[in-house]
Amino acid sequence: MSKQIEQARRGLSASELGHVDTAAPERAPGYVLLPGDPNRVEKMAAQWDEGAKLYALSRRSAAAVGTYKGVELGAWSTGIGGPSAECTLTDLAARGTHTFIRVGTTGAIQEGIRIGDIIINDSNVRLDGTSHLYVRDEYPAAASYEVVLALVQACENLGLRYHVGTGCTCASFYTGQCRTSYGGYRPSHLDADFADLRQAGVLNFEMEGATVTTLSRIFGKRAGMCASVVAQRITGEWDETAEGEYNACLAGAEAVRILTEWDRKKAEQGKRYYFPGL
């Protein structure tokens, strides 16, 4: 596997390539869900058809490969934050994945968004700390419109309550998301930052979306994200309900099924892009 990756990266040395997880399957599915939490991988696989294979990867990461309604897909945990997501995404791209859907949890910062709702971020404010090392700050963290549409259709198919819009990806759980940190540490600008993001219509805080979408776009891949709301920052609620996580995971799998169908139609019609009426 390391030799194949090296060839794909034009003969870079082993030290430049870095760690290659030999416990992972040599070939990854074309469509992969990206949960942060490794425990979520097994929960995802339980929603698929029987026979999904689970993998225990290095550094307590996890992966699964199987089918959902007859469509092949995978799930790979990314861990927390941009640097960890970068490692997983880069490795998967080398193993053949072309479509990534981050499936996670998030905190809402607008009224009218309930605990357990699904947020589909079509774009993200890039405070992730990783994508800036790839490209200048003005480059957008934009999801593929096809993935966004598929996630919307998936939520409609499943009867889920959802919201679509811009999120904010942070490199910090506490001050980065305008929370007070240990010992009451709270920089004076946090209140203004929170108010400004809300005024700009940003829906939520999370920690991986911008890295996944920005790097995927640079790599020529397709990506998007959905997340279940576990924190409502306006009301102060926090509730990691199993139902919300279950729904987000199922929406991701259903979106893969939809994308697979759209991709088949594009191939049959000789079209590069999906559009309504194809």
Side-chain angles (χ1 to χ4, degrees), residues 144-150 222 259 262 266 272-274:
S144 161
Y145 80 94
E146 291 182 343
V147 177
V148 172
L149 284 175
R222 189 169 56 175
L259 284 166
W262 290 351
K266 288 189 297 183
R272 185 175 180 183
Y273 303 104
Y274 176 78

Side-chain angles (χ1 to χ4, degrees), residues 5 9 17-21 34 58-59 61 76-95 100 130 134 211-212 215 219:
I5 294 176
R9 298 192 198 173
L17 289 169
H19 172 72
V20 175
D21 199 330
L34 299 177
S58 63
R59 302 190 180 188
S61 294
W76 255 254
S77 64
T78 65
I80 299 174
S84 183
E86 173 203 26
C87 292
T88 302
L89 190 142
T90 303
D91 181 68
L92 282 168
R95 295 177 192 266
F100 300 91
T130 297
Y134 276 77
T211 303
V212 170
L215 269 58
F219 296 163

Side-chain angles (χ1 to χ4, degrees), residues 4-73:
Q4 292 177 359
I5 294 176
E6 182 173 344
Q7 290 173 345
R9 298 192 198 173
R10 302 177 184 177
L12 296 178
S13 69
S15 64
E16 289 177 287
L17 289 169
H19 172 72
V20 175
D21 199 330
T22 56
E26 185 169 314
R27 172 193 165 274
Y31 307 81
V32 172
L33 306 179
L34 299 177
D37 184 354
N39 295 321
R40 198 172 297 137
V41 170
E42 187 173 359
K43 295 175 183 178
M44 288 176 163
Q47 298 176 330
W48 305 347
D49 305 335
E50 291 186 8
K53 185 172 182 179
L54 298 171
Y55 297 85
L57 307 182
S58 63
R59 302 190 180 188
R60 301 193 178 185
S61 294
V65 174
T67 62
Y68 171 78
K69 296 184 178 180
V71 172
E72 186 187 42
L73 78 170

Side-chain angles (χ1 to χ4, degrees), residues 191-265:
D191 290 338
D193 291 346
F194 192 77
D196 288 347
L197 288 168
R198 279 176 35 78
Q199 183 171 262
V202 172
L203 300 181
N204 58 300
F205 285 125
E206 54 83 49
M207 299 185 70
E208 293 85 32
T211 303
V212 170
T213 56
T214 302
L215 269 58
S216 292
R217 191 167 291 263
I218 291 172
F219 296 163
K221 309 300 180 181
R222 189 169 56 175
M225 67 160 286
C226 69
S228 63
V229 176
V230 298
Q232 209 334 324
R233 298 291 299 280
I234 306 304
T235 64
E237 298 171 89
W238 175 281
D239 186 357
E240 295 180 84
T241 58
E243 183 180 4
E245 180 183 44
Y246 180 92
N247 288 340
C249 294
L250 194 59
E254 178 69 5
V256 166
R257 185 196 65 78
I258 293 166
L259 284 166
T260 302
E261 176 65 17
W262 290 351
D263 290 345
R264 181 188 63 79
K265 289 183 178 180

